[in-house]
Amino acid sequence: MSLLRPDDLIRGVGEITPEFLAARGLRGLLLDLDNTLIPYHSYDDYPSSQTWVTEIRSAGIRLALLSNATHRRAEQWRGRLELEGIGMAGKPNPASFRRAAQALGLPPHQVGMVGDQLFTDVLGGNLAGLHTILVHPLIDNALPHTRLARLLERRVLARHGHAWGPEVWQTPDREEPSQ
Ligand SMILES: [Mg+2]
């Protein structure tokens, strides 16, 4: 059960600051793409995430994309966000998380996995010994297969004492805090 427990649960990447990372001993981040950095399926600019990536990188944090999106989609955003990393990562297979952490040149415990899904991002990250950070999904894409996963996520997180689901994600002040 603890493999499905995120180390941190936050609203969005904007809450991750250099201070947040220093307090947890993290020097690198593996970033999920869809619904973590960019709304699912979107190719539109998403300035808050693009600015955040630039700021975190300039603070000396090593970043890489770890996405299950198609190579084509991951490659597009990789270029636009100027990130290393891959698509079709095969999450939650912990081997891809370990490889990605290794590519950053950091031991697993100094790397955070940031994503919006418990059964891919958090499970794989925990299996690989990373620090796992669960974010609210940027949009609630209620695809049939996602819907079941979301239902199960809600149950697991409720057991850990966290409210989870559209009514929580859609709270008005989900944008990054003003500091
Ligand atoms: Mg995602």
Side-chain angles (χ1 to χ4, degrees):
M1 214 46 190
S2 63
L3 284 172
L4 288 172
R5 179 176 214 152
D7 292 302
D8 287 296
L9 204 163
I10 61 176
R11 285 172 304 172
V13 294
E15 290 184 27
I16 302 175
T17 60
E19 295 72 32
F20 175 105
L21 296 170
R24 290 157 178 80
L26 300 174
R27 297 171 61 208
L29 293 173
L30 303 179
L31 303 168
D32 172 51
L33 178 65
D34 279 309
N35 268 346
T36 297
L37 288 179
I38 304 296
Y40 185 70
H41 268 190
S42 172
Y43 284 96
D44 295 336
D45 273 328
Y46 200 73
S48 60
S49 290
Q50 288 163 283
T51 307
W52 175 81
V53 165
T54 307
E55 285 173 0
I56 289 293
R57 183 192 296 114
S58 59
I61 304 301
R62 298 176 208 175
L63 301 174
L65 205 61
L66 191 69
S67 169
N68 280 355
T70 60
H71 285 304
R72 195 164 154 213
R73 176 166 173 73
E75 191 54 35
Q76 245 270 5
W77 276 111
R78 225 176 61 89
R80 287 166 72 179
L81 295 163
E82 297 175 61
L83 291 172
E84 299 299 313
I86 56 164
M88 303 197 63
K91 294 183 288 186
N93 182 350
S96 40
F97 293 75
R98 285 196 204 101
R99 260 198 305 273
Q102 226 161 37
L104 292 182
L106 295 171
H109 69 275
Q110 291 183 359
V111 177
M113 173 68 216
V114 186
D116 69 300
Q117 291 200 33
L118 209 53
F119 299 107
T120 53
D121 303 310
V122 172
L123 176 60
N126 282 340
L127 284 168
L130 309 185
H131 182 99
T132 50
I133 303 169
L134 184 67
V135 300
H136 293 186
L138 291 174
I139 57 166
D140 179 19
N141 55 305
L143 303 172
H145 67 277
T146 313
R147 210 174 282 175
L148 176 61
R150 292 297 186 199
L151 180 72
L152 296 172
E153 285 178 339
R154 178 191 285 256
R155 293 203 181 150
V156 172
L157 288 166
R159 226 170 289 175
H160 293 315
H162 299 296
W164 192 247
E167 69 282 357
V168 179
W169 305 331
Q170 284 154 14
T171 50
D173 64 335
R174 59 169 307 150
E175 282 305 306
E176 49 261 56
S178 57
Q179 216 167 353

